[in-house]
Amino acid sequence: MIEQYVRGLRQVDPAQVALVGGKGAHLGGLSRIEDVHVPDGFCVTTDAFRRIMAQAPSIDDQLDALSRVNPDDREAVRTLSARIRRTIEEVVVPDDLAAAITGALARFGEQAAYAVRSSATAEDLPTASFAGQQDTYLNIVGPAAILRHVSRCWASLFTERAVTYRRRGGIDHRTVLMAVVVQRMVVPHASGILFTADPVTGNRKVATVDAGFGLGEALVSGLVNPDVFRVCDGEVVAKSISVKERAVHALPAGGTREVTVDARRQEQPALTDAQAVSLVQLGRRIEARFGRPQDIEWCLVDDGFRIVQSRPITTLFPVPEAGDEENHVYVSVGHGQMMTDPMRPLGYSMWQLTAMVAMHEAGGRLFVDVTGRLASPASRAGLLDALGKGDPLVRDALETVLERDGFVPSLPDAGPGGPPAGGAPAPIRTDPAVVTELIERSRASIAALERDIRTKTGPELFDFLLEAFEEHKRVLSDPLSIQAIMAGMEATWWLNDKLQEWLGEKNAADTLTLSAPDNVTSEMGLALLDVADVVRPLPEVVAFLREVEDEDFLDALAKLAGGAEARAAIEAYLDLYGMRCVGEIDITRPRWRERPTTLVPVLLDNVRNFEPGAAERRFEQGRQKARLKEQDVLARLRAQPDGDRKADEVRRMIERVRTFIGYREYPKYGIISRYFVYKQALLREAERLVQAGVLPEREDAFYLTFQELHDVVRSNGVDDRLIQERKEAFRSYHELSPPRVLTSDGEALNGAYRREDAPVGALIGLPVSAGTVEGRARVVLDMAEADLEAGDILVTTFTDPSWSPLFVGIAGLVTEVGGLMTHGAVIAREYGLPAVVGVERATSLIRDGQRIRVHGTDGYIEILS
């Protein structure tokens, strides 16, 4: 019976989280590492907690009420959690359970002082630390006091902060149990925290030691600022010694108190450099044992260090696996693709298989290794220039890495430059027929894919898809397509550079490219205005759409007056654009065709905010504005010396940019069209696996890579545990923010704007669409929840092409992620919306409903109210 309720720390297996909680399991693992000294003690197991909960009156009703409460209703959470804690604390500990605990105390010293510490089963885990969410009590003396504080630890599973943390992490309160660790109290000279990786930069080679006098409670509570030591490669590379006026000491009879540190010691370091280095060496052994960077609580006593806790550092972004010990520099794919959310394994593996360059996964995101191109001076300049034009923050981050001596070795260029074999390709002619031909090629390729995939099932489908991926890449690498894209981009850059030089005008190409032809993404936004024109005069349909919740609403729509007409318009729109969705590079994301309710709020906004014929008028207004801008620019140029030559060059370049800039969006449309065909075939295969009893749910296939799903189809067997682990990892990845640049040392860099031309207090970003606009900020994190009025300014994390239908109804755009040629920027220019992108933390610094002014020409935002 005693074994059921009490386990000595040295008998605890690190895998026994369900029995002794995360902290207890980690302490058990620590006690098994050579030369790591853990204070003696024992764990009161989760079986004891279960028994107490079974005796707690009405606890099930209280937990039901807690699960129903809105997590944002802090008062309700506070009230309910306090009631549950009182209920648990008032349960009398059964005699046999009390005897098991006091018996363990007798073995370690009944009247000794102890630390009584909570250890929940969802604590100190690789994906969630729960640091500080439950309670710890120091210097508790005597069996009665120990039992009382064990009860308090059980109750602390329901502190307000722990309840909120679980709700945010999607963890069911009933699935979490509480064990309690009881350890002999250590009375230290100094104590603190060791991070075996830099918690700010993520650098795995730099450890950080925080240290203060006395018990660690002084640091944890913020009573004093710690001494900080940064240790790398066995030496202290930086340190900061604070003035430590206060400390927390243990009292002989139990409890703790705050004391004043002797004035002569206040500015002395809590550790010597040698002690800091020795502590980090100890931390490296612990890190190696647990297989990931650790956040370690330590104490220094007369004969050395005691380790009182170790938990994973859950905030570090993972490092891609390179398979070697060399230095690597990675650039984020998601920042370029306007999708920084994590991808499921099927999603990222499909993107890897269809991408033109090798990509590496970490934290559910993809990265490209640019180390080789940075190492060569010739390719380095081209890479920095190309990435810098798109996103100057990426360039700045890479330059920060390059400034570090030796991290990226400088290699000699392979040989003299020169045109490729066969000579440089001939310049593409400025001819709309080129774009027409490219679009027809893409359509034909997709039609062939749709035709040929229909009969493919089982392993044959996967073999077919591998061949289809090669065709996919062939289409992407079509030299004519690449030339057309580059022609539009280069013409844009040329116009902006020359017109600023000759006329002093910034970003003139923004106006000159308004309503350019063949832009499938801007056409998508305008087409939904046409659907609104069909719906607007149908009151029954409008009323029905306002109440829509089910994805099969189109079937019911046809039964209403005018419903057949409305349904036909929506179906026609989905036929053209139903393969799109937010985060569309992840094949596992639900497409509009699969979840058409996503479009309903935007459609209703268009019905409310626009008059009939708005799409045609808007396109024509843009075209006229571009034409007038061209006339103005050419007239001003002709008035200059050598003006006829300049005007002629600019006129030709305007014709070129308007011919090709719209096509910039088409290859992505082709990719996503193909992706939807792949997805439908894979879902049919996943459904067969469900029918065969191999997969519990069709969407479980999303948590397997393409190759793993292929293996499951061949073997008709799946590792259920792997799928569950992947689901938990995917949930945890949402808490991580991917950096623009990541090194193999784990350092995460996001770059900085090196600018001083914005007003004090303004939010700095990248100007991508000219103009200035003032209006109400609408902070929208989910397109389906957008509620926009004419004149609103959209503020969001990122916008991929699927956000384009929202652009027709807004006055300006602010995003946290983006670059000059990313989709949101291109469409903002197409619609004439002032836009600033790459604004760090815009969605938290700008509050929904505030009035803001967006300076799209100069790249900053002013918050007005």
Side-chain angles (χ1 to χ4, degrees):
M1 184 63 72
I2 289 177
E3 277 286 314
Q4 181 183 0
Y5 296 129
V6 172
R7 286 283 175 92
L9 278 180
R10 297 185 189 282
Q11 283 72 56
V12 169
D13 187 288
Q16 292 179 311
V17 174
L19 183 68
V20 297
K23 185 182 286 127
H26 266 260
L27 287 168
L30 285 167
S31 66
R32 298 175 179 216
I33 303 174
E34 187 177 356
D35 295 330
V36 172
H37 301 291
V38 177
D40 285 336
F42 59 92
C43 295
V44 181
T45 69
T46 53
D47 287 334
F49 176 75
R50 281 195 185 93
R51 188 164 172 195
I52 294 297
M53 291 293 281
Q55 293 181 214
S58 69
I59 196 71
D60 286 335
D61 292 340
Q62 293 179 52
L63 289 175
D64 287 341
L66 187 62
S67 65
R68 289 192 300 268
V69 75
N70 184 334
D72 295 327
D73 187 346
R74 296 187 63 180
E75 185 57 39
V77 171
R78 183 180 299 117
T79 301
L80 284 168
S81 58
R83 187 182 307 156
I84 292 171
R85 289 198 304 276
R86 281 196 304 273
T87 299
I88 294 171
E89 287 186 40
E90 288 169 0
V91 174
V92 176
V93 179
D95 290 344
D96 60 330
L97 176 52
I101 296 170
T102 56
L105 286 174
R107 290 197 298 277
F108 293 103
E110 195 171 76
Q111 293 304 315
Y114 289 85
V116 183
R117 315 170 69 195
S118 63
S119 179
T121 54
E123 179 179 313
D124 295 352
L125 304 180
T127 56
S129 75
F130 277 78
Q133 304 307 311
Q134 287 98 29
D135 290 344
T136 287
Y137 302 96
L138 300 178
N139 207 39
I140 309 303
V141 178
I146 297 287
L147 287 171
R148 187 165 61 252
H149 286 87
V150 167
S151 288
R152 289 181 179 176
C153 281
W154 286 329
S156 75
L157 187 63
F158 297 98
T159 61
E160 181 187 349
R161 60 186 182 273
V163 166
T164 303
Y165 195 96
R166 282 197 295 274
R167 287 295 294 268
R168 193 183 68 174
I171 298 172
D172 184 346
H173 301 305
R174 295 176 186 274
T175 64
V176 184
L177 303 173
M178 179 67 84
V180 181
V181 175
V182 181
Q183 282 179 285
R184 283 291 294 262
M185 188 69 189
V186 174
V187 181
H189 304 303
S191 57
I193 309 291
L194 160 64
F195 297 97
T196 63
D198 190 312
V200 177
T201 69
N203 194 324
R204 306 313 199 255
K205 291 188 175 178
V206 176
T208 301
V209 178
D210 289 2
F213 295 126
L215 294 170
E217 188 64 22
L219 301 185
V220 173
S221 65
L223 183 64
V224 297
N225 292 321
D227 297 340
V228 180
F229 300 81
R230 287 166 56 83
V231 178
C232 183
D233 294 331
E235 62 178 312
V236 174
V237 294
K239 63 181 174 181
S240 165
I241 307 303
S242 68
V243 177
K244 300 170 287 296
E245 297 178 349
R246 310 289 290 170
V248 174
H249 284 180
L251 296 172
T256 62
R257 79 170 174 195
E258 225 179 272
V259 299
T260 300
V261 176
D262 186 288
R264 292 168 297 181
R265 295 186 64 214
Q266 289 179 3
E267 296 186 37
Q268 292 180 4
L271 294 178
T272 65
D273 285 8
Q275 286 172 328
V277 170
S278 175
L279 176 61
V280 169
Q281 290 170 345
L282 197 62
R284 292 294 181 211
R285 284 205 290 277
I286 295 170
E287 178 184 70
R289 178 61 173 265
F290 291 120
R292 58 186 299 153
Q294 297 288 302
D295 163 356
I296 298 168
E297 295 181 20
W298 57 269
C299 297
L300 177 63
V301 294
D302 292 331
D303 59 345
F305 290 104
R306 298 290 183 271
I307 303 301
V308 296
Q309 188 164 334
S310 180
R311 63 171 74 92
I313 306 176
T314 60
T315 56
L316 298 177
F317 199 87
V319 179
E321 293 183 11
D324 59 38
E325 298 300 317
E326 302 299 319
N327 290 343
H328 294 269
V329 182
Y330 303 96
V331 171
S332 165
V333 172
H335 284 81
Q337 288 293 334
M338 296 298 91
M339 215 295 274
T340 54
D341 290 345
M343 300 167 74
R344 295 174 181 85
L346 186 61
Y348 67 67
S349 64
M350 293 281 282
W351 196 258
Q352 286 172 310
L353 287 166
T354 54
M356 300 306 299
V357 296
M359 294 183 179
H360 307 265
E361 182 273 335
R365 280 78 167 193
L366 291 172
F367 295 84
V368 174
D369 187 344
V370 296
T371 317
R373 294 185 66 184
L374 287 175
S376 164
S379 60
R380 179 191 309 149
L383 177 71
L384 292 174
D385 185 54
L387 293 176
K389 279 181 176 175
D391 185 348
L393 293 177
V394 172
R395 177 174 186 144
D396 184 78
L398 289 173
E399 288 176 336
T400 300
V401 175
L402 288 168
E403 288 169 3
R404 296 187 183 140
D405 288 342
F407 190 85
V408 178
S410 187
L411 302 176
D413 291 327
I428 191 172
R429 66 190 188 281
T430 302
D431 183 354
V434 172
V435 173
T436 302
E437 178 189 347
L438 286 167
I439 291 173
E440 286 305 316
R441 283 189 199 176
S442 178
R443 287 174 177 164
S445 176
I446 293 166
L449 172 66
E450 291 174 329
R451 181 190 66 240
D452 295 342
I453 204 171
R454 286 178 192 143
T455 59
K456 305 298 188 292
T457 62
E460 184 187 9
L461 169 65
F462 288 82
D463 294 338
F464 172 84
L465 284 172
L466 288 171
E467 293 177 9
F469 297 162
E470 294 307 309
E471 167 65 7
H472 182 125
K473 289 191 278 191
R474 187 199 65 73
V475 172
L476 280 182
S477 61
D478 182 341
L480 186 63
S481 177
I482 293 170
Q483 282 184 288
I485 293 169
M486 292 308 301
M489 293 169 66
E490 288 166 353
T492 300
W493 297 331
W494 189 93
L495 285 167
N496 281 336
D497 289 346
K498 291 298 183 184
L499 293 178
Q500 182 158 11
E501 176 188 342
W502 292 338
L503 298 177
E505 189 166 338
K506 288 183 179 180
N507 302 325
D510 293 358
T511 305
L512 293 167
T513 55
L514 289 172
S515 297
D518 299 313
N519 188 319
V520 68
T521 307
S522 62
E523 289 168 358
M524 178 171 68
L526 296 174
L528 199 61
L529 287 175
D530 290 335
V531 177
D533 286 352
V534 175
V535 169
R536 191 177 293 107
L538 304 171
E540 278 191 55
V541 170
V542 173
F544 171 80
L545 290 175
R546 286 184 182 134
E547 304 301 322
V548 157
E549 292 183 358
D550 297 330
E551 300 300 341
D552 59 357
F553 72 91
L554 289 172
D555 295 334
L557 186 62
K559 300 170 186 175
L560 305 175
E565 185 183 0
R567 174 178 173 163
I570 295 171
E571 288 280 8
Y573 185 87
L574 291 173
D575 286 344
L576 285 173
Y577 307 112
M579 78 294 289
R580 310 217 81 151
C581 68
V582 173
E584 61 192 11
I585 69 170
D586 182 353
I587 199 171
T588 71
R589 290 285 190 105
R591 312 283 134 174
W592 290 344
R593 171 59 80 179
E594 298 169 310
R595 193 174 290 176
T597 55
T598 305
L599 290 171
V600 171
V602 189
L603 176 58
L604 289 172
D605 283 348
N606 289 349
V607 168
R608 183 177 70 247
N609 295 331
F610 292 92
E611 296 296 322
E616 186 177 349
R617 279 196 309 277
R618 187 179 189 113
F619 187 81
E620 184 57 27
Q621 286 166 0
R623 201 175 66 81
Q624 290 297 331
K625 196 180 286 187
R627 185 177 63 80
L628 291 172
K629 183 67 173 179
E630 178 179 0
Q631 292 171 352
D632 171 63
V633 163
L634 295 179
R636 288 158 62 196
L637 286 171
R638 289 193 179 103
Q640 294 185 353
D642 197 21
D644 287 343
R645 178 189 62 80
K646 292 177 182 176
D648 191 47
E649 285 184 28
V650 168
R651 181 189 56 75
R652 287 198 305 271
M653 205 56 75
I654 291 173
E655 180 186 6
R656 190 166 179 81
V657 78
R658 289 191 65 81
T659 297
F660 292 116
I661 198 64
Y663 179 72
R664 161 75 175 77
E665 292 292 298
Y666 201 87
K668 182 72 172 289
Y669 177 79
I671 290 170
I672 301 307
S673 297
R674 297 180 73 90
Y675 259 43
F676 194 39
V677 179
Y678 303 153
K679 181 179 185 179
Q680 289 170 308
L682 289 170
L683 282 177
R684 288 193 294 270
E685 204 59 40
E687 185 59 43
R688 278 189 279 273
L689 291 171
V690 171
Q691 296 301 320
V694 177
L695 288 178
E697 297 178 6
R698 191 176 66 159
E699 284 71 23
D700 285 348
F702 295 163
Y703 295 93
L704 300 169
T705 65
F706 179 84
Q707 185 56 54
E708 288 167 347
L709 184 56
H710 190 179
D711 293 341
V712 169
V713 168
R714 276 197 298 241
S715 66
N716 264 341
V718 68
D719 184 346
D720 294 330
R721 189 179 61 228
L722 174 65
I723 290 177
Q724 188 57 40
E725 288 173 356
R726 294 271 177 81
K727 288 180 178 180
E728 291 170 3
F730 179 69
R731 279 194 293 269
S732 74
Y733 292 157
H734 281 89
E735 300 298 316
L736 301 175
S737 296
R740 285 177 170 82
V741 171
L742 182 66
T743 73
S744 50
D745 285 352
E747 188 171 9
L749 302 101
N750 278 299
Y753 294 109
R754 312 294 176 178
R755 293 171 46 189
E756 298 179 356
D757 58 348
V760 175
L763 306 182
I764 306 296
L766 177 66
V768 296
S769 186
T772 301
V773 66
E774 182 179 318
R776 179 179 67 158
R778 296 314 307 266
V779 179
V780 180
L781 302 181
D782 182 346
M783 175 181 161
E785 296 176 3
D787 181 16
L788 300 169
E789 300 285 348
D792 284 346
I793 297 169
L794 175 63
V795 181
T796 189
T797 48
F798 58 78
T799 58
D800 61 10
S802 70
W803 287 73
S804 299
L806 289 181
F807 283 26
V808 299
I810 60 174
L813 174 70
V814 178
T815 69
E816 294 180 341
V817 176
L820 190 62
M821 296 309 293
T822 50
H823 300 279
V826 170
I827 302 308
R829 291 193 291 272
E830 169 73 16
Y831 287 164
L833 303 175
V836 180
V837 303
V839 182
E840 290 292 305
R841 298 177 55 235
T843 58
S844 55
L845 294 174
I846 299 172
R847 295 195 309 275
D848 187 54
Q850 280 186 310
R851 287 197 69 76
I852 63 173
R853 185 180 296 128
V854 177
H855 295 264
T857 304
D858 296 312
Y860 63 88
I861 297 98
E862 293 177 283
I863 298 176
L864 305 177
S865 67

